[in-house]
Amino acid sequence: MQRPPSEDFALKETKPHLGGGRISGDKLTSTYDLVEQMQYLYVRVVKAKDLPAKDVTGSCDPYVEVRLGNYRGATRHFEKKTNPEWNQVFAFSKDRIQATVLEVIVKDKDVVKDDLIGRVSFDLNEVPKRVPPDSPLAPQWYRLEDHRANKARGELMLAVWMGTQADEAFPEAWHSDAATISGADSLSNMRSKVYLSPKLWYLRVNVIEAQDLIPSDKGRYPEVYVKAILGNQALRTRVSPSRSINPMWNEDLMFVASEPFEEPLILSVEDRIAPNKDEVLGRCAIPLQYVHRRYDHKPVNTSWHNLEKHVIVEGEKKKEIKFASRIHMRICLEGGYHVLDESTHYSSDLRPTAKPLWKSSIGVLEVGILNAQGLMPMKTKDGRGTTDAYCVAKYGQKWVRTRTIIDSFTPKWNEQYTWEVYDPCTVITIGVFDNCHLHGGEKARDARIGKVRIRLSTLETDRVYTHSYPLLVLHPNGVKKMGEIHMAVRFTCSSLLNMMHMYSQPLLPKMHYIHPLTVSQLDSLRHQATQIVSMRLSRAEPPLRNEVVEYMLDVGSHMWSMRRSKANFFRIMNVLGGIIAVGKWFDQICNWKNPITTVLIHILFIILVMYPELILPTIFLYLFLIGVWYYRWRPRHPPHMDTRLSHADSAHPDELDEEFDTFPTSRPSDIVRMRYDRLRSIAGRIQTVVGDLATQGERLQSLLSWRDPRATALFVLFCLIAAIILYVTPFQVVALLTGFYVLRHPRFRHKLPSVPLNFFRRLPARTDCML
């Protein structure tokens, strides 16, 4: 597979004209200053009064049409109303204006042809300008005129002004580039919005015991377990080891719950009568609104809950009057944990759920999403390729979505967003998507164009980073550059001392360390959390759809991938490369490849042995000098997606096809067999390495285990002699002799292994006991 040219995937620094040119060094001076200013003509249509009746029935169905050259926007119409109120805003990009007159026309909607009620005209040269934070322009009443410029009956309240995208009317306005889009749902899918993730809690259910259960078959020992259901989540305990009517478990079940708590926790005690047949011995429902909220590690009080026995009568459930059973539990909402809905490697929020446990913010993150360049056509419309692009940014609980730019491969958003920062070791994710819901098609999925991650700790404070990031997407046929996104990023620190203090704090809230969750629990809970977030945001208006949320949260990143495995292996080798390089350098010293360097090392070694108090200061001084030396080559740009590091540019097509396969697999059996055999061969090599490591550890254990009595006797005798010699010999002498022996000249070396190594390799391991 050919390796694409690396320069196509490079990060490019840019110098856009931000904030209208109001720049002072790296610091900008206005409130909406990380984007390029875009001029818009705004028309706010508020209401009308005293409109005349135009229909034969004597009624009026008014609506307003705003015309500017070839662009036309219309309000909704009202049935039989002479004093309608619309309060709608229209925005026309100044770059696309080719007319000098703005017309606002009031019409009466009719079946055959809409009737003209009146119009108001504006000369664009006379339109006032408004710059926030100025107050909004007050709308005024205008007398309607007919097509001959004579006064007509009725008045229209309007406000017309020139502004920028910083205007508060901008997000809800109808935009001129949406003239080809019809329908309220399609228009709402275009608008920019800010979303908040639901507040998530861990729900801990400690099932202790049950009492006085009444199984239907009293002649057998019951096999009782507890099943707990919360929404779409279902967990169960193990079968109680005490097979009686008073079973005990003392087992924790963990769920993810979201506010508002709409669904109760349903618990059922069940008896396994047969392998596929269970009998419900009792149920109870617990509303989460009344569950205790725990903020620390203090124990929670236990409580008994009544179990209601259900029987089936003519297909309906009927409660028995008699009551005999109870269940003993400890239930609490854990506010001291952070509910992980992202991978910890690039999490954007690390705060606990409970707001009283939050620490003060350390700064502000500002992101200006400027534009994109060179986007690829994502779908076909009228026989040609087109792209309707929008961006989504996620940091902490706040998600933002820019407006959709219709049919453009070089969309310009110029929207700016702000987040509070509580931890510098967090990551913001920005994704670009193609909107596939503008022309109907509810089952369509928004296509991914690419995403960018920026770690805040890699940014200098108070500096504006303006870069063009490559948008890279991995496809079954290889990595592909889908375009570039141009952004401006600034991280402002409010307190340098507080930020430095954060580096000494645990990464996660303390409950993760006092009562840690297992890896399998965290994986399961993360899956539940992402499902809840995805479902909640997909119900917003406009919806942030499942495919968008899952791509932003990297839902499928835990699945097996040969490409990722190779990339992680070479990452480990890169980390170990420094240690290997030091080992090679020391081997050259020992073999006197450079006699001058070896002599200097001898002198340094003698000094450190004679003055051991200098060892630690020397090490730390050396590390300090290395850090100062490397400061000249510190990274000047934020990191971006690296195709070489990810092995995306050299992956085999079959490996990529395996990575994009569904789970469970949907590929033919011969391909699955080939991949299984390949996986077995790789696992065999890993198995060999793990076995070799185990062998070395068992040889160490066998030194004193007397498994080889002669070897253990020799080692014990050696230890006795060494103890006597080391007791009577000063430590500095022993250290000098050992050092000189290690650094001895090659003339005094042998190519054969040393005696200690020969002795160690002859020690027995447990490999001969394995089948």
Side-chain angles (χ1 to χ4, degrees), residues 277-304:
K277 185 178 180 182
D278 297 331
E279 178 194 7
V280 177
L281 303 181
R283 285 193 180 95
C284 67
I286 302 171
L288 298 186
Q289 296 92 325
Y290 311 110
V291 171
H292 175 72
R293 303 186 180 192
R294 182 167 75 162
Y295 295 164
D296 50 27
H297 59 280
K298 293 180 181 178
V300 179
N301 295 329
T302 62
S303 57
W304 288 91

CSV table of all heavy atoms in Angstrom, one decimal, residues 277-304:
chain,number,residue,atom,x,y,z
A,277,LYS,N,-36.0,-21.5,33.1
A,277,LYS,CA,-37.2,-21.2,33.7
A,277,LYS,C,-37.0,-20.7,35.1
A,277,LYS,O,-36.3,-21.3,35.9
A,277,LYS,CB,-38.1,-22.5,33.8
A,277,LYS,CG,-39.5,-22.2,34.3
A,277,LYS,CD,-40.4,-23.5,34.4
A,277,LYS,CE,-41.7,-23.2,34.9
A,277,LYS,NZ,-42.6,-24.4,35.0
A,278,ASP,N,-37.4,-19.4,35.3
A,278,ASP,CA,-37.3,-18.8,36.6
A,278,ASP,C,-38.6,-18.4,37.2
A,278,ASP,O,-39.5,-18.0,36.4
A,278,ASP,CB,-36.4,-17.5,36.5
A,278,ASP,CG,-35.0,-17.8,36.0
A,278,ASP,OD1,-34.5,-19.0,36.3
A,278,ASP,OD2,-34.4,-17.0,35.3
A,279,GLU,N,-38.7,-18.4,38.5
A,279,GLU,CA,-40.0,-18.0,39.1
A,279,GLU,C,-39.7,-16.8,39.9
A,279,GLU,O,-38.7,-16.7,40.7
A,279,GLU,CB,-40.5,-19.1,40.1
A,279,GLU,CG,-41.7,-18.8,40.9
A,279,GLU,CD,-42.0,-19.7,42.0
A,279,GLU,OE1,-41.1,-20.6,42.3
A,279,GLU,OE2,-43.1,-19.5,42.7
A,280,VAL,N,-40.6,-15.7,39.7
A,280,VAL,CA,-40.5,-14.5,40.5
A,280,VAL,C,-41.1,-14.7,41.8
A,280,VAL,O,-42.3,-15.0,42.0
A,280,VAL,CB,-41.2,-13.3,39.7
A,280,VAL,CG1,-41.1,-12.1,40.5
A,280,VAL,CG2,-40.5,-13.2,38.3
A,281,LEU,N,-40.2,-14.5,42.9
A,281,LEU,CA,-40.7,-14.6,44.3
A,281,LEU,C,-41.2,-13.3,44.8
A,281,LEU,O,-41.9,-13.3,45.9
A,281,LEU,CB,-39.6,-15.2,45.1
A,281,LEU,CG,-39.0,-16.5,44.7
A,281,LEU,CD1,-37.9,-17.0,45.6
A,281,LEU,CD2,-40.1,-17.6,44.6
A,282,GLY,N,-40.8,-12.2,44.2
A,282,GLY,CA,-41.3,-10.9,44.7
A,282,GLY,C,-40.6,-9.8,44.0
A,282,GLY,O,-39.5,-9.9,43.5
A,283,ARG,N,-41.2,-8.6,43.9
A,283,ARG,CA,-40.7,-7.4,43.3
A,283,ARG,C,-40.9,-6.2,44.2
A,283,ARG,O,-41.8,-6.2,45.0
A,283,ARG,CB,-41.4,-7.2,41.9
A,283,ARG,CG,-41.0,-8.1,40.8
A,283,ARG,CD,-41.5,-7.6,39.5
A,283,ARG,NE,-41.2,-8.4,38.4
A,283,ARG,CZ,-42.0,-9.3,37.9
A,283,ARG,NH1,-43.2,-9.5,38.4
A,283,ARG,NH2,-41.6,-10.0,36.8
A,284,CYS,N,-40.1,-5.2,43.9
A,284,CYS,CA,-40.3,-3.9,44.5
A,284,CYS,C,-39.7,-2.8,43.6
A,284,CYS,O,-38.8,-3.1,42.8
A,284,CYS,CB,-39.6,-3.8,45.9
A,284,CYS,SG,-37.8,-3.9,45.9
A,285,ALA,N,-40.3,-1.7,43.6
A,285,ALA,CA,-39.9,-0.5,42.8
A,285,ALA,C,-39.5,0.6,43.8
A,285,ALA,O,-40.2,0.9,44.7
A,285,ALA,CB,-41.1,0.0,41.9
A,286,ILE,N,-38.3,1.2,43.5
A,286,ILE,CA,-37.7,2.2,44.3
A,286,ILE,C,-37.5,3.5,43.5
A,286,ILE,O,-36.7,3.5,42.6
A,286,ILE,CB,-36.4,1.7,44.9
A,286,ILE,CG1,-36.6,0.4,45.7
A,286,ILE,CG2,-35.7,2.8,45.8
A,286,ILE,CD1,-35.3,-0.2,46.1
A,287,PRO,N,-38.3,4.6,43.8
A,287,PRO,CA,-38.0,5.8,43.1
A,287,PRO,C,-36.7,6.4,43.5
A,287,PRO,O,-36.3,6.5,44.7
A,287,PRO,CB,-39.2,6.7,43.6
A,287,PRO,CG,-40.2,5.8,44.2
A,287,PRO,CD,-39.4,4.6,44.7
A,288,LEU,N,-35.9,6.9,42.5
A,288,LEU,CA,-34.5,7.4,42.8
A,288,LEU,C,-34.6,8.8,43.4
A,288,LEU,O,-33.5,9.2,43.9
A,288,LEU,CB,-33.7,7.4,41.5
A,288,LEU,CG,-33.5,6.0,40.8
A,288,LEU,CD1,-32.6,6.1,39.6
A,288,LEU,CD2,-33.0,5.0,41.8
A,289,GLN,N,-35.7,9.5,43.3
A,289,GLN,CA,-35.7,10.8,43.9
A,289,GLN,C,-35.5,10.8,45.4
A,289,GLN,O,-35.0,11.8,45.9
A,289,GLN,CB,-37.1,11.5,43.6
A,289,GLN,CG,-37.4,11.7,42.1
A,289,GLN,CD,-38.1,10.6,41.5
A,289,GLN,OE1,-37.9,9.4,41.9
A,289,GLN,NE2,-39.0,10.9,40.6
A,290,TYR,N,-35.8,9.7,46.0
A,290,TYR,CA,-35.7,9.7,47.5
A,290,TYR,C,-34.5,8.9,48.0
A,290,TYR,O,-34.4,8.6,49.1
A,290,TYR,CB,-37.0,9.1,48.0
A,290,TYR,CG,-38.2,9.7,47.5
A,290,TYR,CD1,-39.1,9.0,46.6
A,290,TYR,CD2,-38.6,11.0,47.8
A,290,TYR,CE1,-40.2,9.6,46.1
A,290,TYR,CE2,-39.7,11.6,47.3
A,290,TYR,CZ,-40.5,10.9,46.4
A,290,TYR,OH,-41.6,11.5,45.9
A,291,VAL,N,-33.6,8.4,47.0
A,291,VAL,CA,-32.5,7.7,47.4
A,291,VAL,C,-31.4,8.6,48.0
A,291,VAL,O,-31.2,9.7,47.5
A,291,VAL,CB,-31.9,6.9,46.2
A,291,VAL,CG1,-30.6,6.3,46.5
A,291,VAL,CG2,-32.9,5.9,45.7
A,292,HIS,N,-30.7,8.1,49.0
A,292,HIS,CA,-29.6,8.9,49.6
A,292,HIS,C,-28.5,9.2,48.7
A,292,HIS,O,-28.1,8.4,47.9
A,292,HIS,CB,-29.1,8.1,50.8
A,292,HIS,CG,-27.9,8.8,51.5
A,292,HIS,ND1,-28.0,9.9,52.3
A,292,HIS,CD2,-26.6,8.5,51.5
A,292,HIS,CE1,-26.9,10.3,52.7
A,292,HIS,NE2,-26.0,9.4,52.3
A,293,ARG,N,-28.0,10.4,48.7
A,293,ARG,CA,-26.9,10.9,47.9
A,293,ARG,C,-25.6,10.9,48.8
A,293,ARG,O,-25.6,11.7,49.7
A,293,ARG,CB,-27.2,12.2,47.2
A,293,ARG,CG,-28.5,12.2,46.4
A,293,ARG,CD,-28.7,13.5,45.7
A,293,ARG,NE,-29.9,13.4,44.9
A,293,ARG,CZ,-30.3,14.3,43.9
A,293,ARG,NH1,-29.5,15.3,43.7
A,293,ARG,NH2,-31.4,14.1,43.3
A,294,ARG,N,-24.6,10.2,48.4
A,294,ARG,CA,-23.4,10.1,49.2
A,294,ARG,C,-22.3,10.9,48.5
A,294,ARG,O,-22.0,10.7,47.3
A,294,ARG,CB,-23.0,8.6,49.4
A,294,ARG,CG,-21.7,8.5,50.2
A,294,ARG,CD,-21.5,7.0,50.6
A,294,ARG,NE,-21.0,6.2,49.6
A,294,ARG,CZ,-20.4,5.0,49.8
A,294,ARG,NH1,-20.3,4.5,51.0
A,294,ARG,NH2,-20.0,4.3,48.7
A,295,TYR,N,-21.7,11.8,49.2
A,295,TYR,CA,-20.6,12.6,48.7
A,295,TYR,C,-19.2,12.1,49.1
A,295,TYR,O,-18.2,12.6,48.6
A,295,TYR,CB,-20.8,14.1,49.1
A,295,TYR,CG,-22.0,14.7,48.5
A,295,TYR,CD1,-22.5,15.9,49.0
A,295,TYR,CD2,-22.7,14.1,47.5
A,295,TYR,CE1,-23.7,16.5,48.5
A,295,TYR,CE2,-23.9,14.7,46.9
A,295,TYR,CZ,-24.3,15.9,47.5
A,295,TYR,OH,-25.5,16.4,46.9
A,296,ASP,N,-19.1,11.3,50.1
A,296,ASP,CA,-17.8,10.8,50.6
A,296,ASP,C,-17.9,9.3,50.9
A,296,ASP,O,-18.8,8.6,50.4
A,296,ASP,CB,-17.4,11.6,51.9
A,296,ASP,CG,-18.5,11.6,52.9
A,296,ASP,OD1,-19.3,10.6,52.9
A,296,ASP,OD2,-18.6,12.5,53.7
A,297,HIS,N,-16.9,8.8,51.6
A,297,HIS,CA,-16.8,7.3,51.8
A,297,HIS,C,-17.5,6.9,53.1
A,297,HIS,O,-17.3,5.7,53.5
A,297,HIS,CB,-15.4,6.9,51.8
A,297,HIS,CG,-14.5,7.5,52.9
A,297,HIS,ND1,-14.0,8.8,52.7
A,297,HIS,CD2,-14.1,7.1,54.1
A,297,HIS,CE1,-13.4,9.1,53.8
A,297,HIS,NE2,-13.4,8.1,54.7
A,298,LYS,N,-18.3,7.7,53.7
A,298,LYS,CA,-19.0,7.3,54.9
A,298,LYS,C,-20.0,6.3,54.6
A,298,LYS,O,-20.7,6.3,53.6
A,298,LYS,CB,-19.7,8.5,55.6
A,298,LYS,CG,-18.7,9.6,56.1
A,298,LYS,CD,-19.5,10.7,56.7
A,298,LYS,CE,-18.5,11.8,57.3
A,298,LYS,NZ,-19.2,13.0,57.8
A,299,PRO,N,-20.2,5.3,55.5
A,299,PRO,CA,-21.2,4.2,55.2
A,299,PRO,C,-22.6,4.7,55.1
A,299,PRO,O,-23.0,5.6,55.8
A,299,PRO,CB,-21.0,3.2,56.4
A,299,PRO,CG,-20.3,4.0,57.4
A,299,PRO,CD,-19.5,5.1,56.8
A,300,VAL,N,-23.4,4.0,54.3
A,300,VAL,CA,-24.8,4.3,54.1
A,300,VAL,C,-25.6,3.4,54.9
A,300,VAL,O,-25.3,2.2,55.0
A,300,VAL,CB,-25.1,4.2,52.6
A,300,VAL,CG1,-26.6,4.6,52.4
A,300,VAL,CG2,-24.3,5.2,51.8
A,301,ASN,N,-26.7,3.9,55.5
A,301,ASN,CA,-27.6,3.1,56.3
A,301,ASN,C,-28.3,2.1,55.4
A,301,ASN,O,-28.7,2.4,54.3
A,301,ASN,CB,-28.6,4.0,57.0
A,301,ASN,CG,-27.9,4.8,58.1
A,301,ASN,OD1,-26.9,4.5,58.6
A,301,ASN,ND2,-28.5,6.0,58.3
A,302,THR,N,-28.5,0.9,56.0
A,302,THR,CA,-29.3,-0.1,55.2
A,302,THR,C,-30.8,0.1,55.4
A,302,THR,O,-31.2,0.8,56.3
A,302,THR,CB,-28.9,-1.5,55.7
A,302,THR,OG1,-29.2,-1.6,57.1
A,302,THR,CG2,-27.4,-1.7,55.5
A,303,SER,N,-31.6,-0.6,54.6
A,303,SER,CA,-33.0,-0.4,54.7
A,303,SER,C,-33.7,-1.7,54.2
A,303,SER,O,-33.1,-2.4,53.3
A,303,SER,CB,-33.6,0.8,53.9
A,303,SER,OG,-33.2,0.6,52.6
A,304,TRP,N,-34.8,-2.0,54.8
A,304,TRP,CA,-35.6,-3.2,54.4
A,304,TRP,C,-36.7,-2.7,53.4
A,304,TRP,O,-37.4,-1.7,53.7
A,304,TRP,CB,-36.2,-3.9,55.6
A,304,TRP,CG,-35.2,-4.7,56.4
A,304,TRP,CD1,-34.5,-4.2,57.5
A,304,TRP,CD2,-34.8,-6.0,56.2
A,304,TRP,NE1,-33.7,-5.2,58.0
A,304,TRP,CE2,-33.9,-6.3,57.2
A,304,TRP,CE3,-35.2,-7.0,55.3
A,304,TRP,CZ2,-33.3,-7.5,57.3
A,304,TRP,CZ3,-34.6,-8.2,55.4
A,304,TRP,CH2,-33.6,-8.5,56.4
